[in-house]
Amino acid sequence: MDDDGFGLSFNVLLSDPADFEGGGTSFPSNAFSSEEAVYTPRRGQMLSHYGGLRHASVPCTGGLRYIMVGFVRAERLVELRLEDAAYGARTGESEKA
C-alpha cells in the first residue's frame, strides 16, 4: 500500500479486460468504509482519487494489462494535505493508518 502524495491521481485502463486476469486497484478499509474495496474499470474508464488515499495495485494473474497513470497537482489540494498532516500531528492520528 502507498499513497501518491499531494493532488489527484488517476489511471485509465487501456487493455481489453479479456486480455488479462486479475488486476485492479484496491483501497484498504478507512474512515469512509469498513471493508477493503477493489475497483476494476472497463476499457477506457478512468479511476481517480485523492493522492493521499492509501491504495495498491492488484496483481494480474495472467495476460498483460496496460494502464495510463497520471497525477494532477493543485495548490488547494496541497493545502488540504498539509492540513491533514497537521491534524494528524495534533491528534496523534497517522495519515498512513
Side-chain angles (χ1 to χ4, degrees):
M1 289 281 158
D2 70 347
D3 68 51
D4 298 323
F6 306 112
L8 180 70
S9 300
F10 67 88
N11 66 60
V12 178
L13 180 61
L14 302 176
S15 300
D16 183 330
D19 293 342
F20 63 91
E21 297 173 8
T25 303
S26 69
F27 296 89
S29 61
N30 55 52
F32 303 104
S33 174
S34 60
E35 297 182 14
E36 176 186 44
V38 176
Y39 294 91
T40 54
R42 294 188 306 258
R43 185 182 204 169
Q45 286 186 321
M46 179 178 75
L47 171 66
S48 64
H49 58 87
Y50 171 56
L53 189 60
R54 308 255 313 141
H55 63 283
S57 176
V58 176
C60 286
T61 56
L64 291 174
R65 178 177 77 133
Y66 293 97
I67 61 172
M68 176 177 63
V69 177
F71 307 95
V72 178
R73 304 292 185 234
E75 186 175 333
R76 182 61 184 138
L77 292 173
V78 171
E79 292 168 359
L80 289 171
R81 177 64 181 233
L82 295 174
E83 290 170 14
D84 287 348
Y87 175 81
R90 285 194 314 273
T91 63
E93 294 182 22
S94 168
E95 290 182 47
K96 305 220 183 227

